[in-house]
Every structure is written in C-alpha cells, then in structure tokens.
C-alpha cells in the first residue's frame, strides 16, 4: 500500500526555521515526482516546491524561492523541505504528494504545481507567529 507520512510541523517565530519530512512506504521515490503543497485557512491549496525522485529537477514557488530548500534522501525514502526565514504568511497545513507518471509527462516539467498527483499524505501544521 502506498503511503506518505508528513511530519515536522510546529510553532515557530517570525524568521525561524523548520524542516518538514515526507516519508514514503510501499514504494520508492526513484521514479516518482514529489511535491510539497500548503493550504492556509480560507485560501486555496498552493504549490510550494517539487522534486524529481533522482533530484535532477527542483521547482519552487516564487513566494518561497531562496528561503525553502527541497531535498531527497533515497536511502531513507524521505523528502525534506527545509524552511528558513519563515514569515507569518507561511502559516498553513503542509502536504506532500507523489506521482509515478509525472516524470514521463511533459506537463509536469512545465507546470509541476498544477499536476494531478496520485498520492497524498496527511498534512502537518506550520504556524509562524509574528
């Protein structure tokens, strides 16, 4: 059974850092695309960052570029999202998602945050206080 487990959320002050983890079970990330998304209260879900399973492609939303870093540890089958210089507007529930077909679909490379990921983990709440 394919499962994604997101963790690492919490309460942090403005300017602080957190590292989110997305652990996979039932499959390996090698041939998957993995994405981090977030949804703030009253807002639509938005893409934050994506990575290919072999880490040769990474994407970032403009709002987080330069502050967030996505990485993958294939040995641990875990994707990380290092979040630095956090702002109150980063407050949201963060979700990880994965898809086995994305790397073979040109649409993922053009619009990775609009792709229909097949698997989703439960969210982890990030709260940044001002």
């Amino acid at each position: 059974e394919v499962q994604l487990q997101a963790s690492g959320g919490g309460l942090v002050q403005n300017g602080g850092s957190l590292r989110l983890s997305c652990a996979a079970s039932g499959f390996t990330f090698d041939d998957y695309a993995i994405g981090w998304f977030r949804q703030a209260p009253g807002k639509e879900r938005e893409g934050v960052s994506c990575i290919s399973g072999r880490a040769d492609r990474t994407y970032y939303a403009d709002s987080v570029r330069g502050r967030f870093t996505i990485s993958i540890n294939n040995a641990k089958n875990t994707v990380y999202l290092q979040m630095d210089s956090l702002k109150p507007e980063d407050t949201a529930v963060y979700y990880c998602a994965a898809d086995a077909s994305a790397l073979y679909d040109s649409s993922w490379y053009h619009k990775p945050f609009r792709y229909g990921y097949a698997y989703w983990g439960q969210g982890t709440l990030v709260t940044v206080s001002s």
Side-chain angles (χ1 to χ4, degrees), residues 45-62:
R45 187 177 65 198
E46 63 174 351
V48 176
S49 184
C50 297
I51 189 169
S52 58
R54 299 184 188 277
D56 53 347
R57 294 286 183 122
T58 58
Y59 299 92
Y60 295 94
D62 290 342

Side-chain angles (χ1 to χ4, degrees), residues 30-95:
D30 290 9
D31 294 317
Y32 279 68
I34 306 95
W36 283 101
F37 295 80
R38 67 187 181 187
Q39 188 165 20
K43 294 187 177 181
E44 292 187 353
R45 187 177 65 198
E46 63 174 351
V48 176
S49 184
C50 297
I51 189 169
S52 58
R54 299 184 188 277
D56 53 347
R57 294 286 183 122
T58 58
Y59 299 92
Y60 295 94
D62 290 342
S63 59
V64 307
R65 187 174 292 111
R67 300 188 297 121
F68 291 10
T69 303
I70 193 169
S71 62
I72 187 167
N73 184 325
N74 292 98
K76 294 185 177 181
N77 220 27
T78 300
V79 171
Y80 303 99
L81 185 68
Q82 177 67 40
M83 306 187 296
D84 299 318
S85 302
L86 282 161
K87 305 174 182 180
E89 51 263 45
D90 294 317
T91 295
V93 177
Y94 284 70
Y95 301 88

